[in-house]
């Protein structure tokens, strides 16, 4: 076989393993310790095997995948047939260097049931924000206000660490990128706003006159 094809096949194999490894780690997170699947210094390690996925590979996955639930579900589904045989393993390109061991497979869930989220974040760009209370010396203390058209009642604010509080203190209204943190209310059985994080504040010169209203 042409050596370039071998290299390409190896790269594809590592990529597939990275997706599967991240998906499996996401599925078992918070479900107790495992013996043959570990996370070590940002990497996913298959103890006793050769599927060692670097932090760089994982970062590349996270940067490209927005729907991690789907990725996790597909990773678990890809390994599901291997659960039908007690000592099944998976090799890529018939290589011992790219192999998922039977012990790894045994510790992988046979199906994925996503956890029920108790918090949801909503990022909104260039929103009009009214400031009712502020602190020129703190990014998190004593900030509060409303987001007209989105949150009518006073809610707690916080400023991103990149924003100097003294630059915003004293303003009655601003245009900003924000993140609304919604928490699940078990009584109401719905998500309700808990706080608003100010991610970026726009200067008047950065806005179209039609937007600055």
């Amino acid at each position: 076989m042409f050596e370039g094809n071998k290299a390409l096949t190896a790269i594809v194999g590592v990529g597939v393993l990275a997706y599967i490894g991240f998906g499996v780690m996401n599925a078992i997170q918070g479900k107790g310790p495992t013996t043959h699947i570990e996370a070590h210094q940002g990497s996913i390690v298959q103890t006793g095997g050769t599927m060692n996925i670097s932090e760089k590979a994982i970062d590349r996955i996270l940067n490209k995948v927005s729907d991690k639930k789907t990725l996790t579900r597909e990773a678990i589904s890809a390994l599901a047939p291997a659960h039908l045989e007690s000592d099944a393993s998976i090799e890529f390109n018939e290589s011992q260097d790219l192999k998922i061991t039977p012990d790894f497979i045994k510790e992988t869930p046979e199906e994925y049931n996503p956890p029920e989220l108790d918090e949801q974040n909503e990022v909104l760009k260039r929103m009009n924000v009214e400031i009712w209370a502020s602190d020129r010396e703190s990014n998190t203390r004593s900030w509060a206000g409303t987001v007209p058209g989105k949150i009518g009642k006073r809610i707690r604010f916080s400023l991103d660490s990149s924003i100097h509080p003294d630059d915003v203190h004293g303003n009655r209204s601003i245009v900003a990128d924000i993140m609304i943190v919604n928490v699940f209310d078990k009584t109401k059985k719905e998500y309700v706003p808990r706080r608003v994080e100010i991610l970026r504040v726009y200067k008047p010169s950065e806005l179209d006159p039609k937007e600055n209203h």
Side-chain angles (χ1 to χ4, degrees):
M1 182 184 293
F2 178 56
E3 290 299 327
N5 288 342
K6 289 183 178 179
L8 178 60
T9 301
I11 291 171
V12 172
V14 171
V16 172
L17 281 172
Y19 274 89
I20 291 176
F22 172 76
V24 170
M25 286 300 298
N26 198 40
I28 66 176
Q29 190 173 12
K31 294 186 177 181
T34 57
T35 303
H36 300 280
I37 306 173
E38 298 180 1
H40 179 65
Q41 294 182 345
S43 302
I44 297 172
V45 178
Q46 179 182 223
T47 304
T50 52
M51 191 183 72
N52 300 331
I53 304 169
S54 69
E55 184 175 4
K56 184 181 293 186
I58 296 170
D59 287 342
R60 287 176 179 172
I61 292 173
L62 294 177
N63 290 335
K64 294 180 179 179
V65 178
S66 58
D67 188 353
K68 296 178 180 61
K69 282 186 180 180
T70 298
L71 184 152
T72 301
R73 186 177 290 108
E74 290 177 351
I76 297 303
S77 295
L79 296 180
H83 285 283
L84 299 177
E85 299 181 29
S86 59
D87 294 319
S89 62
I90 300 174
E91 291 183 9
F92 292 81
N93 195 31
E94 300 181 354
S95 171
Q96 289 294 318
D97 293 331
L98 296 173
K99 179 179 179 179
I100 299 177
T101 66
D103 289 327
F104 185 99
I105 293 170
K106 288 176 184 177
E107 292 187 352
T108 300
E110 294 189 32
E111 60 181 19
Y112 174 57
N113 297 309
E116 196 173 296
L117 294 178
D118 59 1
E119 184 177 293
Q120 286 185 346
N121 299 329
E122 181 181 8
V123 176
L124 301 170
K125 301 286 188 178
R126 294 181 179 237
M127 297 294 291
N128 290 310
V129 177
E130 294 185 354
I131 300 175
W132 292 17
S134 62
D135 188 331
R136 67 187 306 169
E137 297 180 346
S138 172
N139 286 60
T140 58
R141 185 178 62 248
S142 302
W143 287 89
T146 62
V147 182
K150 195 70 178 178
I151 302 176
K153 294 182 179 180
R154 174 176 170 142
I155 191 171
R156 183 164 66 89
F157 284 173
S158 65
L159 304 182
D160 185 81
S161 59
S162 63
I163 302 172
H164 196 290
D166 195 30
D167 292 338
V168 186
H169 175 73
N171 287 295
R172 300 295 297 274
S173 63
I174 58 174
V175 176
D177 294 343
I178 65 174
M179 180 171 70
I180 301 175
V181 179
N182 299 294
V183 177
F184 189 75
D185 187 314
K186 294 183 179 180
T187 302
K188 296 181 179 180
K189 295 184 178 181
E190 63 181 12
Y191 288 91
V192 297
R194 172 65 59 84
R195 68 181 185 278
V196 171
E197 296 183 13
I198 310 296
L199 305 176
R200 174 186 174 182
V201 177
Y202 289 88
K203 298 177 182 178
S205 59
E206 297 176 303
L207 298 169
D208 186 301
K210 295 179 181 179
E211 295 179 305
N212 192 14
H213 57 274

